Amino acid sequence: MTAAQRRSLRGPWRIAALYSVVILCWSCSWYASKLQGGVVDAFVSLVWRFGTAAPLMFGWAALGRQKLKFGWKVHLAFAPVGILMFSLNFAFAYHAVKLLPSGLVSVIFSLSTVTNMALVAVIFRRWPGIRSLMGAAFGVGGLALLFLGDIMPIDEIPGYWAGVFCGLAMTLTFSLGNVGSAWVQRRGVPVVSAAAWSMLYGLLSSIGLACASGTTFALDMSVAYVGSLLFLAIFGTLFAFSAYLELLRMVGPARAAYCTVWAPIGALAISSHFEQFSWTKVAAGAVALIAVGNILVLWSGGGPGKNEMRQPGERELPPDDPLGIGRYRTGEG
């Protein structure tokens, strides 16, 4: 076997390994987030989490010799992205997993593909096609079936609907952050650099909100809390993010996004073992509907693309790479 043949065989195995790392980390992150609940305020937990993760992300960018100095206009974009994606989004997630099984919250979050599409239609007047609308209908229908189909004893779970609201707010803030992130990428900012600065602004936001609420910056020294904190900062953030970026480079954003379809399945499997979630025919059917809906939306390229923010005279990006991340495969940016 020639060296070229060996390399060609390693490619699929490498892609499979990257998918496995991302899906495993994301699947476990939901239950790890639940372990962050308790005596420590959600924003304080985020301070400890991103106080650990943000310096690691800056170090990664520095080791990769990526640009870290940007003008004030770009920082005006970093700030809201960080507040939405790395502060409010996670705060809503932490509150949601306190009130609901973490696997169910991950299923709500998987509908970010649908909210991405809806925001593009509202903000940029880019209307979805029939396939995207069908996918959205499947997703919303599956979510309604999941929460209204008597899958769980609602009366026995205090704050059930508050948990659903927090899950929906988590998904919306994430999608709003995606819109800002797409604008940042359109300006040629490297993904790791953008993530590092956005995490820093999210960290500062969490510090400010924690101070405003009057909470103390206590640290729960239990094994469950510290272990889940380190897992989320290192594996759930740094390792999963690096594996996902490499996956983006190798297969492009459309195929890489299928991680968001499979990770909730893993999260539900963890919930069925450690929490109150029980698999029923209705639950399985609802999750299948949501998965099919997400696949339809992803297949049709629904999401906050870069062409919507294209300036006059700028090159339009190909439809199969709406976020323009494919240019990193050629070493651009």
Side-chain angles (χ1 to χ4, degrees), residues 93 103 146 169 175 254 264 275 293 318:
L146 189 64
S175 293
E275 302 176 81

Side-chain angles (χ1 to χ4, degrees), residues 1 10 50 61 65 99 104 153-154 186 194 200 217 312 315:
M1 182 181 293
R10 282 199 298 267
F50 289 106
R65 296 183 178 181
L99 300 169
L104 286 182
I154 296 176
R186 186 66 191 92
L200 178 59
F217 285 83
R315 176 175 59 90

Side-chain angles (χ1 to χ4, degrees), residues 10-273:
R10 282 199 298 267
W13 285 104
R14 182 177 176 81
I15 291 171
L18 290 169
Y19 269 115
S20 299
V21 168
V22 174
I23 292 171
L24 181 62
C25 287
W26 285 358
S27 298
C28 296
S29 291
W30 292 100
Y31 185 66
S33 296
K34 194 177 189 73
L35 296 178
Q36 292 285 283
V39 297
V40 181
D41 180 79
F43 286 113
V44 174
S45 290
L46 292 175
V47 170
W48 298 127
R49 174 175 179 175
F50 289 106
T52 303
L56 293 174
M57 195 64 71
F58 273 104
W60 180 16
L63 285 174
R65 296 183 178 181
Q66 296 199 21
K67 181 180 177 182
L68 286 170
K69 292 182 179 180
F70 302 96
W72 65 270
K73 289 184 179 179
V74 178
H75 278 276
L76 285 179
F78 286 151
V81 170
I83 293 169
L84 288 165
M85 295 188 74
F86 296 111
S87 182
L88 296 179
N89 163 52
F90 282 98
F92 282 123
Y94 281 16
H95 284 296
V97 296
K98 278 185 180 180
L99 300 169
L100 297 173
S102 57
L104 286 182
V105 180
S106 75
V107 174
I108 298 176
F109 182 73
S110 72
L111 285 179
S112 59
T113 54
V114 176
T115 52
N116 285 347
M117 178 189 70
L119 285 174
V120 167
V122 172
I123 297 174
F124 303 115
R125 298 294 189 267
R126 179 186 171 188
W127 307 111
I130 296 298
R131 188 182 295 161
S132 292
L133 291 173
M134 287 177 58
F138 272 102
V140 173
L143 188 66
L145 181 62
L146 189 64
F147 286 100
L148 299 174
D150 293 329
I151 292 173
M152 298 186 64
I154 296 176
D155 295 337
E156 298 176 14
I157 303 178
Y160 180 88
W161 290 112
V164 174
F165 172 80
C166 287
L168 294 173
M170 164 197 68
T171 305
L172 180 60
T173 51
F174 175 80
S175 293
L176 287 168
N178 268 348
V179 173
S181 180
W183 186 94
V184 169
Q185 289 181 31
R186 186 66 191 92
R187 271 63 192 171
V189 178
V191 177
V192 177
S193 302
W197 278 110
S198 297
M199 281 185 189
L200 178 59
Y201 283 111
L203 171 61
L204 294 174
S205 170
S206 295
I207 292 173
L209 290 168
C211 290
S213 67
T215 188
T216 59
F217 285 83
L219 182 62
D220 183 354
M221 296 306 296
S222 67
V223 173
Y225 184 88
V226 175
S228 59
L229 175 64
L230 292 175
F231 174 85
L232 290 168
I234 299 171
F235 293 95
T237 304
L238 190 67
F239 282 12
F241 189 76
S242 59
Y244 188 66
L245 284 182
E246 180 64 11
L247 198 59
L248 285 173
R249 187 187 69 81
M250 296 187 72
V251 303
R255 291 179 181 177
Y258 285 100
C259 293
T260 62
V261 176
W262 298 111
I265 308 299
L268 284 171
I270 293 171
S271 280
S272 65
H273 185 73

Side-chain angles (χ1 to χ4, degrees), residues 258-332:
Y258 285 100
C259 293
T260 62
V261 176
W262 298 111
I265 308 299
L268 284 171
I270 293 171
S271 280
S272 65
H273 185 73
F274 292 105
E275 302 176 81
Q276 302 176 40
F277 183 77
S278 298
W279 282 98
T280 64
K281 291 181 180 179
V282 176
V287 172
L289 278 175
I290 293 170
V292 170
N294 284 335
I295 289 171
L296 285 171
V297 173
L298 291 170
W299 189 13
S300 60
K306 294 176 69 177
N307 289 329
E308 291 82 3
M309 289 158 282
R310 187 166 53 99
Q311 301 298 319
E314 288 185 329
R315 176 175 59 90
E316 183 169 342
L317 291 158
D320 62 340
D321 189 13
L323 292 181
I325 300 174
R327 62 191 176 81
Y328 292 99
R329 286 174 284 185
T330 63
E332 234 182 294

